[in-house]
Structure formats: C-alpha cells, structure tokens
Amino acid sequence: MGLDNYWKKNEGETAEIEEAEGVCAGMFTDHGQTSFRGKLYADLVEQATGVSLYQEEIPSEVIMKMADDLDAFDIREYDCEPGFDIDDKEFQSLKKMFRLHADAGHYLIGWW
C-alpha cells in the first residue's frame, strides 16, 4: 500500500512553499511544495525522528521537532530497505522541505 503526505495550513487550506522541492512525488503529489511520496521516506523519517508518517495527522509542534531531528541525523546511519536508497542530495531536499513547512507552522496529513 502506498502513502502520500500532504502539507496543510489549516483544515480547509493546503499549504504551499515553492522552495520546498526535490523530493519524490507520488501519483497525485508534487515534489514537496504541497505534498510528497511518503512511502519512500517513511522508514528514514521514522529512524531519524521516531515518528511514523503513517498517521492521519501530524501536528505542527511535532513537525517542528521532526525538522530538528532530521537536521541532526547523519544519512550515513540510515539502514534502508532495498529499493529505498536516498542519496545525500535528496536527503538535503527532505530536510529543507520539513524545515520550511515547520517554520511556516504547517501540519501533515497522511493518505494511504
């Protein structure tokens, strides 16, 4: 089963940050500006932050802590499943996306 994650400002409004780009898109998602392919990053994010992307909603306070944890994580410590390799450039994009959305006070919705 797949997972896409969507950034939200509030219940009725999608959050968008043009500079948050460079992560993998899902079937109906963009590259981090408003959403991303959560399934690809779920294991890495959980290893780095202790938080699963497989949740209906992750509040903005938790997103801020996740952004801090991702900033502190060394990608060389990532123990990935085959087929889920993430290089440093993509990891930098993931961290930037989380930081920009966290600083804007956005929260995350999971859809699978």
Side-chain angles (χ1 to χ4, degrees):
M1 185 172 279
L3 169 68
D4 286 344
N5 292 95
Y6 299 88
W7 294 106
K8 300 290 271 183
K9 285 185 182 181
N10 54 52
E11 191 171 322
E13 193 174 1
T14 299
E16 182 172 3
I17 296 179
E18 287 298 320
E19 298 82 15
E21 61 185 1
V23 297
C24 184
M27 186 173 203
F28 298 110
T29 65
D30 57 39
H31 295 275
Q33 295 91 343
T34 63
S35 58
F36 62 98
R37 181 73 172 137
K39 180 178 180 176
L40 178 62
Y41 303 105
D43 193 46
L44 168 61
V45 168
E46 191 160 359
Q47 282 183 42
T49 69
V51 178
S52 173
L53 292 177
Y54 283 93
Q55 298 182 55
E56 288 185 24
E57 183 176 312
I58 302 173
S60 59
E61 310 81 54
V62 175
I63 295 297
M64 183 61 78
K65 170 103 173 56
M66 291 171 75
D68 293 341
D69 291 343
L70 284 165
D71 283 341
F73 188 73
D74 184 343
I75 190 66
R76 295 172 295 190
E77 295 177 18
Y78 177 43
D79 183 24
C80 69
E81 295 180 33
F84 286 82
D85 298 3
I86 297 169
D87 64 23
D88 188 58
K89 181 179 178 184
E90 189 171 6
F91 182 56
Q92 295 305 318
S93 294
L94 180 72
K95 291 190 321 183
K96 180 180 178 182
M97 175 190 67
F98 264 87
R99 175 57 57 206
L100 289 170
H101 284 284
D103 289 350
H106 300 157
Y107 65 98
L108 200 57
I109 299 293
W111 183 79
W112 63 97

